[in-house]
């Protein structure tokens, strides 16, 4: 039985680490990403850097390193994803200027602010928008390029056609599909907004989760159809039959997780309602981790020891399992999320976002999550590593 924990992004001074995202590459290297929000933990921090740390197999974690940082600019973390076919790691980042999420603008004011942002960026010699870092050497070096994206036309709340660009988010990493005709596709959770809102009660009317996908190993990305209205920040898995199960945070204040399914590789989704077992905070919900490990990935010995004979996989869901952001808990399923049982509590105190991955190299789970004392973010982001025995033993 194995379990260890280490605070790898310790908040303190001007640094406030939030929004974790984690992937494992083909040689067992663990790559952890997050935002460093300078001088505040709030979402619309004026200065936000994209940082990462690496843990090669059998070696300690590196110190936090900066991938993108500009004074007065938000470098917002997106989804991380690993392409096993090309042995390439990706992490998205959106470069923008900070603005209060709940500010109320007329259409004319919004256009004027966009023009001012573009002029300001030009004066700084910067380009705004979506970018991606890629690494072909397990995080030792990175290349930056503008994302080539194919937008979606979607009817906005006012009836006009909305041009939807990709907006991936940290916490939920992407997957590479392994089954069906879309085998090899990279698929990442995303979300978009159809209008402006001024408070938490209004947000559910203007937000949708969706996905972005690439069939050319990250050269271009296509925006999918929406998942469910009122969702924001979701995570997804691929089932054995190639279907995609999407598990979403939502803004309905009911403490429930919302489910959707895709039968076309993440291009469109069908609403499945809510999960009867999984739950979360009852104010605005929370980001979570969702992971499916196939029997062959676990290996014959571990599968025989821990999986029922009829199970094709082990599915793990991790989030703060309480009415408030506390009690980081793993729930496990042996039937790809149809039924669940509570397995392990990592931490009973204040906590929030998490990101979970499995390494086929050493058959260990790796996770990073936001950890605090009175509030969920005061300590920073901690990394845990554990084996299936620790997770599944009674």
């Amino acid at each position: 039985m194995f379990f260890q924990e280490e605070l790898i992004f310790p908040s303190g001074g001007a640094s406030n680490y939030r929004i974790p995202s984690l992937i494992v590459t083909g040689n067992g290297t663990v790559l952890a990403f997050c935002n460093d929000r300078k001088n505040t933990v709030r979402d619309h921090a004026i200065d936000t850097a994209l940082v990462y740390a690496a843990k090669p197999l059998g070696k300690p974690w590196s110190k936090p390193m900066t991938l993108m940082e500009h004074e007065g600019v938000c470098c917002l973390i997106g989804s991380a994803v690993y392409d096993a076919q090309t042995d390439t790691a990706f992490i998205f980042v959106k470069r923008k200027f900070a603005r209060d999420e709940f500010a109320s603008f007329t259409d004319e004011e919004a256009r004027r602010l966009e023009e001012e942002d573009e002029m300001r960026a030009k004066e700084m010699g910067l380009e705004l928008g979506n970018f991606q870092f890629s690494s072909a050497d397990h995080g030792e070096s990175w290349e930056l390029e503008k994302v080539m994206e194919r937008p979606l036309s979607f009817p906005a709340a006012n009836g006009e056609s909305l041009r939807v660009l990709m907006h991936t988010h940290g916490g939920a990493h992407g997957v590479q599909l392994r089954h069906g005709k879309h085998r090899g596709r990279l698929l990442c959770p995303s979300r978009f907004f159809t209008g402006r809102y001024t408070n938490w009660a209004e947000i559910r009317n203007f937000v949708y989760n969706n996905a972005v996908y690439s069939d050319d190993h990250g050269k271009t990305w296509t925006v999918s159809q929406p998942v469910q209205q009122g969702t924001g920040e979701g995570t997804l898995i691929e089932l054995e039959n190639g279907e995609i199960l999407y598990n979403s945070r939502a803004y309905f204040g009911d403490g429930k997780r919302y489910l959707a399914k895709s039968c076309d590789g993440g291009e469109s989704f069908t609403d499945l309602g809510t999960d009867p077992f999984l739950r979360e905070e009852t104010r605005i919900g929370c980001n979570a981790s969702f992971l499916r490990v196939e029997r062959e990935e676990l290996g014959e010995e571990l599968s025989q020891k821990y999986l029922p004979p009829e199970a094709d996989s082990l599915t793990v869901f991790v989030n703060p399992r309480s009415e408030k952001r506390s009690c980081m808990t793993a729930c496990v399923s042996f039937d790809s999320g149809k039924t669940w049982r509570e397995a392990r509590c990592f931490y009973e105190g204040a906590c929030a976002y998490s990101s979970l991955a499995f390494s086929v190299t050493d058959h260990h789970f790796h996770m990073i999550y936001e950890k605090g004392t009175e509030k969920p973010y005061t300590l920073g982001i901690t990394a845990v590593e554990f084996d299936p025995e620790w997770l599944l033993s009674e």
Side-chain angles (χ1 to χ4, degrees):
M1 186 179 297
F2 179 86
F3 178 91
Q4 69 177 24
E5 182 170 358
E6 179 182 352
L7 190 65
I8 61 171
F9 296 107
S11 292
S15 290
N16 297 275
Y17 293 109
R18 279 221 60 200
I19 321 299
S21 195
L22 179 143
I23 54 175
V24 181
T25 68
N27 71 350
T29 297
V30 186
L31 298 175
F33 308 89
C34 68
N35 272 149
D36 181 2
R37 297 176 175 178
K38 303 295 185 181
N39 299 307
T40 180
V41 76
R42 294 176 62 84
D43 285 344
H44 36 274
I46 294 175
D47 297 289
T48 304
L50 174 65
V51 299
Y52 81 106
K55 185 184 184 302
L57 185 65
K59 296 183 179 180
W61 281 99
S62 68
K63 293 182 179 179
M65 297 170 280
T66 301
L67 276 176
M68 181 184 284
E69 182 177 18
H70 307 284
E71 185 177 355
V73 178
C74 289
C75 302
L76 299 179
I77 185 173
S79 185
V81 64
Y82 174 66
D83 187 334
Q85 294 184 359
T86 63
D87 195 20
T88 304
F90 295 92
I91 178 69
F92 293 109
V93 59
K94 185 171 187 176
R95 195 155 56 193
K96 58 174 285 187
F97 292 111
R99 187 157 289 119
D100 188 347
E101 179 181 7
F102 299 108
S104 179
F105 305 118
T106 65
D107 290 341
E108 183 178 348
E109 289 171 334
R111 285 192 292 269
R112 177 177 56 80
L113 290 170
E114 289 178 3
E115 292 173 358
E116 290 177 358
D117 285 350
E118 291 294 339
M119 185 177 301
R120 181 179 170 192
K122 187 176 181 179
E123 292 173 351
M124 298 174 66
L126 293 176
E127 185 177 6
L128 304 179
N130 290 313
F131 296 82
Q132 64 186 26
F133 283 95
S134 61
S135 175
D137 54 14
H138 310 282
E140 292 186 17
S141 63
W142 296 89
E143 293 186 5
L144 176 67
E145 58 185 336
K146 189 75 182 288
V147 171
M148 299 297 294
E149 52 188 312
R150 297 187 178 99
L152 167 76
S153 293
F154 184 77
N158 60 6
E160 296 180 359
S161 180
L162 180 69
R163 184 171 180 263
V164 179
L165 298 174
M166 65 184 292
H167 184 74
T168 66
H169 49 83
H173 58 72
V175 299
Q176 185 166 42
L177 305 189
R178 303 176 60 183
H179 306 286
K181 67 177 183 179
H182 300 293
R183 185 182 294 109
R185 169 176 288 181
L186 300 176
L187 181 68
C188 296
S190 182
R191 58 178 173 169
F192 66 96
F193 308 85
T194 62
R196 289 181 292 276
Y197 46 86
T198 59
N199 56 59
W200 286 112
E202 292 179 352
I203 188 173
R204 69 190 66 168
N205 300 316
F206 301 104
V207 295
Y208 294 80
N209 275 334
N210 66 336
V212 296
Y213 57 92
S214 174
D215 292 321
D216 55 12
H217 304 288
K219 294 177 183 176
T220 58
W221 295 86
T222 301
V223 178
S224 84
Q225 294 290 324
V227 177
Q228 296 139 305
Q229 181 178 343
T231 56
E233 293 182 333
T235 183
L236 51 84
I237 59 173
E238 182 190 19
L239 306 181
E240 187 182 34
N241 62 3
E243 293 179 352
I244 308 301
L245 182 61
Y246 208 123
N247 185 306
S248 294
R249 169 190 182 178
Y251 297 103
F252 296 105
D254 55 9
K256 296 179 180 180
R257 300 290 301 184
Y258 283 67
L259 303 178
K261 182 179 71 172
S262 173
C263 298
D264 54 14
E267 297 175 21
S268 63
F269 295 87
T270 301
D271 189 345
L272 297 181
T274 61
D275 189 285
F277 183 85
L278 302 179
R279 59 187 177 89
E280 63 180 3
E281 72 157 45
T282 54
R283 190 173 74 90
I284 55 173
C286 188
N287 187 293
S289 294
F290 196 30
L291 182 70
R292 180 176 174 272
V293 182
E294 298 194 353
R295 180 178 280 271
E296 64 182 57
E297 293 177 295
L298 277 176
E300 183 177 354
E301 182 179 348
L302 290 173
S303 295
Q304 289 182 351
K305 187 174 182 180
Y306 295 111
L307 296 187
E310 69 278 7
D312 59 37
S313 61
L314 168 64
T315 301
V316 186
F317 178 86
V318 179
N319 76 330
R321 189 170 167 79
S322 65
E323 292 188 359
K324 297 183 179 180
R325 292 189 173 184
S326 64
C327 195
M328 187 64 74
T329 302
C331 297
V332 297
S333 171
F334 299 114
D335 54 14
S336 298
K338 294 187 179 82
T339 60
W340 296 93
R341 72 171 175 87
E342 198 170 304
R344 285 281 192 174
C345 178
F346 296 92
Y347 178 64
E348 293 183 354
C351 53
Y353 290 21
S354 65
S355 185
L356 175 70
F358 181 77
S359 172
V360 297
T361 306
D362 60 6
H363 297 100
H364 279 191
F365 290 91
H366 297 267
M367 187 177 79
I368 54 177
Y369 71 93
E370 298 171 334
K371 185 175 183 178
T373 50
E374 296 83 9
K375 296 183 178 180
Y377 327 113
T378 50
L379 295 177
I381 294 176
T382 189
V384 294
E385 179 180 351
F386 55 95
D387 60 12
E389 182 179 6
W390 182 87
L391 177 65
L392 299 172
S393 296
E394 298 292 343

